[in-house]
Amino acid sequence: MKNTSHINPLENEAIYIFREVAAQFEKPVLLFSGGKDSITLVRLAQKAFWPAKIPFPLMHIDTGHNFPETIAFRDKLVKELGVELIVRNVQDAIDQGKVKEESGKYSSRNSLQTTTLLDAIEEFKFDACIGGARRDEEKARAKERIFSVRDDFGQWDEKNQRPELFDMLNGQIELGQNVRVFPISNWTELDVWSYIEKEEIEIPSIYFAHKRKIFLRDGLIWSHSDYVYQEDNEEVLERMVRFRTVGDMSCTAAVFSDAADIASVVQEIRDSSISERGARIDDKRSEAAMEKRKQQGYF
Amino acid sequence: MEVLKIATAGSVDDGKSTLIGRILYDTKSLTSDKLEAIEKTSKQKGYDYLDFSLATDGLVAEREQGITIDVAHIYFSTAKKSYIIADTPGHVEYTRNMVTGASTSQAAIILIDARKGVIEQTNRHFFINNLLRVKDVVVAINKMDLVDFSEERYNEIKADFSELMGKRDYQDQNITFIPVSALKGDNVVNRSENTNWYKGQTLLEHLEDLDMAAVSNIGTPRFPVQYVIRPKTEDFHDFRGFAGKVYGGELSVGDEVVALPSQTKSKIKEIYFYDKKYQTASRRSSVTITLEDEINVSRGDMLVKVGDLPSIDKQFTATISWMDSEKLKAGNKYMVQHGVNKVLAKVDAIHHKINPDYSGIDKEVSALGMNDIAEVSFKLNKPIFFDAFKKHRTNGSFILIDTKSNSTVGAGFILAP
Ligand SMILES: Nc1nc2c(ncn2[C@@H]2O[C@H](COP(=O)(O)OP(=O)(O)OP(=O)(O)O)[C@@H](O)[C@H]2O)c(=O)[nH]1
Ligand SMILES: [Mg+2]
């Protein structure tokens, strides 16, 4: 067989996008949540610039309610890459009275991240924020461009997006605007998992089946934790579970699973009949939940 | 796995979103939570059927008005292929979003409402798909349930559409007619019992059988340099790699190449994909190339094979699809983004407007408005290296950027220098 550079259209497209970001912007940043999508982004960025280091920092908007496994994983990865990690805390915005912590049964810090993110963009004058959102996640996301322009207030003007033709990415912006960049826009959840398997990418242990204290509410599996509000009559159980997506503990539901390694996880995703966002408590709020959050500058 | 990109087209309410929802449903690609949401909303709206357009119309405004405004990208896969379908708006006002959806597609599905037949918007969308040289077009004659699955009506529409086919510029475009009901599912994924007179394939069967090599754009290799990689580390002290994507063909180690615009010759020394070396860079792969000689190459430059040069010129004529409410006029200046290269351009002349309904051309034009298509020539402040769009889809296309608003205001397909 001829020795040709291998051809995975999605991977080649993502690498192309990363290189456009590095060339077209002065201060890009990769938004790193510690989840599988952002870990995949990091691998793609490595591929785009090898043998040079990734030419921009990583930034984590920390809700303070993370799974401890994700934080440990994050710190290890950054050390290996030799890139700068910026952490900005939602707690600071709460302490400064800029945002108000939600209370009650469905309280979560997820939507509070927006303020901290916008503040950090302003603080560092970032002109491009690279994220791991995918169009298959949710139907408002399906409308998103690869280079998505946000105004001074971080807002998404969904009815007036720039046409994006062919491979050409227009990154021209005015001072104060910034662009959200989504290199894995065209990947599905299964594409990401298959890629992690093929590339043997290390991911946090909570993605694999483990024993965890949980409770059930509204047909979803919630983590029993100090960060998650729980009613007295919601009984704590111990079960084998894993996570399909990893955000803030208060907005990420688990699934029952015995998939303890990547091959069984890929198989499970193939067979599964519920979408990944189905396990996002924040999307259950209303049909337009995502679109509303995005208009306000959410990732 | 192979990825096939498809764009839908057709007028408002012809059933594009419904068709995509139907494909998802019949291929069991809708997850149970998404299906539940569709069932719930359909019931709320008082429908006695499932409104599959709810699967793709993701914006509040779209659901309120019951129309598609912007392109949605929808994903599903079978054992054979992965599919990306662009659900585009049918409304004339949003033609630019339709062009956007079609620009990256290898195949298109043009829907026609069987009750209405071929209408102006059908002409326009066929024209655009032909202009963009989309290789495979399916004409889905939809809502057959509303015309009693009449073979006669189907043949009438087919005959009307075939008249357009004689007028098209790009004759090699493959065209297939299929009678469907997106709402009821006839001939979409499953064969219909209501159309025994139809012997052809279902829509999905057709897509499954498409030969990817036949719908791809193969030409001559062009390598626009995106980014220069200079690690300056101990291990790679003198490494200077040219990062980019190979379009049109392949490049191999040892190939004699010319760097443009300097026209300096060299040879390909190494081809990297990440940290591995390869003999050949495949078409559409994002590689890093090093050269035998230390020559000056930077972003926007292009590597091509010796003896296979593109046009190098400071002017060209192109077909333009105008996408902005501010008018394009002779003398106006824009930024031309040709691949990864950006140059300032001035509109030299608007030659004529092309009526996309195939009613001919309009020579008396002083300005172009939103959604106009026209032949325009430009003068540039620096030469660019291009092919005619006919010969090279990537190296023959560009976008126009408004230098004040920074918006993408047009798309262009180069005809000749
Ligand atoms: N009876 C019948 N109705 C259909 C069929 N396909 C679509 N419809 C109906 O036609 C209407 C419009 O369908 P949509 O799918 O929203 O049309 P569209 O082409 O996406 O429209 P735009 O996106 O606004 O251009 C809806 O009420 C559908 O239920 C069909 O095959 N039979
Ligand atoms: Mg629609």
Side-chain angles (χ1 to χ4, degrees), chain A residues 82-204:
Chain A
V83 296
E84 184 194 357
L85 172 74
I86 297 165
V87 180
R88 283 296 173 270
N89 298 296
V90 171
Q91 186 65 49
D92 293 342
I94 296 172
D95 294 345
Q96 291 160 13
K98 282 186 174 162
V99 292
K100 201 163 158 285
E101 182 121 56
E102 298 176 353
S103 60
K105 197 168 170 183
Y106 293 97
S107 60
S108 160
R109 283 187 168 184
N110 192 50
S111 60
L112 303 187
Q113 289 180 69
T114 303
T115 305
T116 310
L117 171 63
L118 297 182
D119 284 351
I121 291 173
E122 186 144 349
E123 178 187 346
F124 293 96
K125 306 267 179 286
F126 289 129
D127 50 4
C129 301
I130 306 160
R134 306 188 322 267
R135 288 170 175 160
D136 86 315
E137 280 179 69
E138 204 275 338
K139 58 180 187 280
R141 284 231 196 271
K143 300 273 166 179
E144 184 80 83
R145 299 289 191 256
I146 290 173
F147 272 18
S148 182
V149 182
R150 304 302 163 97
D151 65 16
D152 295 27
F153 305 99
Q155 289 184 326
W156 183 47
D157 183 2
E158 78 286 357
K159 282 185 293 251
N160 197 20
Q161 300 193 75
R162 278 183 192 172
E164 208 157 68
L165 295 125
F166 307 103
D167 266 9
M168 280 173 260
L169 298 167
N170 171 6
Q172 305 264 108
I173 47 169
E174 271 169 50
L175 205 65
Q177 289 182 323
N178 65 79
V179 172
R180 304 287 168 90
V181 180
F182 304 109
I184 57 168
S185 279
N186 287 327
W187 297 44
T188 63
E189 185 189 11
L190 184 59
D191 291 328
V192 172
W193 282 111
S194 309
Y195 190 71
I196 290 171
E197 181 182 23
K198 195 186 128 267
E199 295 280 317
E200 299 178 357
I201 300 173
E202 210 186 316
I203 50 172

Side-chain angles (χ1 to χ4, degrees), chain B residues 13 15-18 53 56-57 66-69 87-90:
Chain B
D13 281 354
K16 298 174 291 295
S17 302
T18 307
S53 68
T56 67
D57 286 337
I67 61 163
T68 305
I69 294 174
D87 183 20
T88 67

Side-chain angles (χ1 to χ4, degrees), chain A residues 2-7 9-13 15-20 22-24 43 46-53 55 135-140 142-145 156 158-174 177 185-188 190-191 199 272-279 284 287-288 291, chain B residues 1 3 5 31-34 41 54-63 68 70-73 75 84 97 99-100 103-104 132 226-227 229 231 236 239 243-245 247 250 272-275 277-288 299 323 335 337-340 342 389 397-399 401 404-408 411 413:
Chain A
K2 202 156 78 167
N3 171 14
T4 49
S5 63
H6 91 287
I7 184 88
L10 297 172
E11 184 183 43
N12 283 298
E13 177 183 67
I15 292 173
Y16 169 82
I17 296 164
F18 267 113
R19 290 167 170 175
E20 281 304 288
Q24 291 196 41
R43 170 58 57 92
Q46 278 179 289
K47 290 199 175 191
F49 303 106
W50 186 92
K53 273 186 202 165
R135 288 170 175 160
D136 86 315
E137 280 179 69
E138 204 275 338
K139 58 180 187 280
K143 300 273 166 179
E144 184 80 83
R145 299 289 191 256
W156 183 47
E158 78 286 357
K159 282 185 293 251
N160 197 20
Q161 300 193 75
R162 278 183 192 172
E164 208 157 68
L165 295 125
F166 307 103
D167 266 9
M168 280 173 260
L169 298 167
N170 171 6
Q172 305 264 108
I173 47 169
E174 271 169 50
Q177 289 182 323
S185 279
N186 287 327
W187 297 44
T188 63
L190 184 59
D191 291 328
E199 295 280 317
S272 104
S273 69
I274 177 163
S275 80
E276 151 187 41
R277 280 271 155 189
K284 296 259 158 179
E287 190 171 17
E291 184 177 342
Chain B
M1 184 136 75
V3 179
K5 292 193 177 178
T31 51
S32 61
D33 53 318
K34 286 185 181 154
T41 317
L54 295 169
T56 67
D57 286 337
L59 301 176
V60 176
E62 295 180 323
R63 288 192 297 276
T68 305
D70 205 343
V71 186
H73 291 88
Y75 306 82
I84 304 180
N97 294 336
V99 178
T100 301
S103 73
T104 52
L132 285 165
Q226 266 189 291
Y227 189 79
I229 297 177
F236 293 94
F239 186 94
K245 207 166 163 181
Y247 294 99
E250 296 179 342
Y272 286 96
F273 183 89
Y274 191 26
D275 56 356
K277 282 189 198 180
Y278 293 87
Q279 197 58 39
T280 299
S282 322
R283 195 177 67 85
R284 301 215 136 241
S285 61
S286 286
V287 294
T288 302
R299 176 174 166 87
M323 304 180 164
M335 183 76 84
Q337 183 171 346
H338 172 243
V340 301
K342 278 184 192 163
F389 184 70
S397 52
F398 62 93
I399 55 172
I401 300 171
K404 288 181 288 301
S405 71
N406 294 320
S407 243
T408 303
F413 317 98

Side-chain angles (χ1 to χ4, degrees), chain B residues 10-19 49 51 53 57 66-69 87-91 142-146 180-184:
Chain B
S11 190
V12 178
D13 281 354
D14 283 352
K16 298 174 291 295
S17 302
T18 307
L19 179 76
Y49 55 87
D51 181 358
S53 68
D57 286 337
I67 61 163
T68 305
I69 294 174
D87 183 20
T88 67
H91 202 288
N142 188 32
K143 307 198 184 182
M144 287 302 292
D145 55 306
L146 298 179
V180 303
S181 167
L183 195 67
K184 305 278 163 68

Side-chain angles (χ1 to χ4, degrees), chain B residues 108-375:
Chain B
I109 305 170
I110 300 179
L111 279 90
I112 296 178
D113 184 330
R115 295 168 304 176
K116 298 185 200 151
V118 175
I119 55 175
E120 191 191 327
Q121 197 67 338
T122 319
N123 292 11
R124 180 177 282 124
H125 285 177
F126 177 58
F127 180 88
I128 291 171
N129 272 301
N130 195 265
L131 175 70
L132 285 165
R133 302 178 85 78
V134 174
K135 300 250 161 150
D136 192 86
V137 172
V138 174
V139 180
I141 300 171
N142 188 32
K143 307 198 184 182
M144 287 302 292
D145 55 306
L146 298 179
V147 295
D148 295 328
F149 296 97
S150 154
E151 181 180 12
E152 203 189 332
R153 183 65 188 137
Y154 168 80
N155 283 331
E156 249 170 50
I157 295 172
K158 199 171 152 179
D160 285 348
F161 195 94
S162 301
E163 254 180 59
L164 292 180
M165 288 161 58
K167 300 182 196 165
R168 69 192 154 147
D169 179 53
Y170 171 43
Q171 285 286 340
D172 286 343
Q173 189 174 48
N174 180 40
I175 294 176
T176 312
F177 295 88
I178 306 178
V180 303
S181 167
L183 195 67
K184 305 278 163 68
D186 300 81
N187 295 327
V188 178
V189 171
N190 303 312
R191 202 159 274 275
S192 168
E193 289 179 0
N194 300 312
T195 53
N196 290 328
W197 44 266
Y198 172 73
K199 303 286 176 245
Q201 292 184 304
T202 67
L203 176 61
L204 187 71
E205 283 166 359
H206 174 82
L207 299 174
E208 289 278 270
D209 281 356
L210 270 191
D211 176 8
M212 289 304 291
V215 293
S216 302
N217 294 284
I218 296 160
T220 180
R222 302 288 183 228
F223 187 74
V225 175
Q226 266 189 291
Y227 189 79
V228 182
I229 297 177
R230 300 219 56 177
K232 295 187 186 147
T233 55
E234 246 171 63
D235 293 346
F236 293 94
H237 194 269
D238 295 322
F239 186 94
R240 230 156 62 94
F242 305 112
K245 207 166 163 181
V246 195
Y247 294 99
E250 296 179 342
L251 287 173
S252 297
V253 170
D255 280 355
E256 285 196 40
V257 291
V258 185
L260 301 173
S262 71
Q263 305 236 23
T264 326
K265 283 187 190 160
S266 187
K267 255 189 196 162
I268 295 182
K269 185 175 164 197
E270 298 155 314
I271 293 170
Y272 286 96
F273 183 89
Y274 191 26
D275 56 356
K276 290 198 180 55
K277 282 189 198 180
Y278 293 87
Q279 197 58 39
T280 299
S282 322
R283 195 177 67 85
R284 301 215 136 241
S285 61
S286 286
V287 294
T288 302
I289 288 177
T290 64
L291 298 177
E292 292 284 358
D293 311 278
E294 282 264 332
I295 61 173
N296 191 7
V297 176
S298 54
R299 176 174 166 87
D301 293 358
M302 185 181 279
L303 300 179
V304 300
K305 280 199 195 177
V306 168
D308 192 8
L309 297 191
S311 301
I312 304 170
D313 215 317
K314 280 174 78 169
Q315 57 185 21
F316 60 73
T317 304
T319 308
I320 298 291
S321 164
W322 188 246
M323 304 180 164
D324 201 44
S325 49
E326 291 227 2
K327 295 201 176 330
L328 175 139
K329 290 186 188 132
N332 282 9
K333 286 188 181 136
Y334 299 97
M335 183 76 84
V336 160
Q337 183 171 346
H338 172 243
V340 301
N341 198 6
K342 278 184 192 163
V343 294
L344 267 176
K346 195 166 107 180
V347 178
D348 194 33
I350 307 174
H351 300 292
H352 56 255
K353 220 155 82 174
I354 305 165
N355 298 331
D357 55 0
Y358 286 101
S359 63
I361 60 170
D362 191 350
K363 285 198 165 159
E364 300 301 311
V365 273
S366 55
L368 300 184
M370 172 94 84
N371 299 320
D372 279 348
I373 293 175
E375 217 177 282

Side-chain angles (χ1 to χ4, degrees), chain B residues 37-55:
Chain B
I38 293 173
E39 282 166 354
K40 204 175 105 192
T41 317
S42 298
K43 213 184 236 163
Q44 272 171 10
K45 293 194 164 178
Y47 300 155
D48 56 359
Y49 55 87
L50 293 180
D51 181 358
F52 290 117
S53 68
L54 295 169

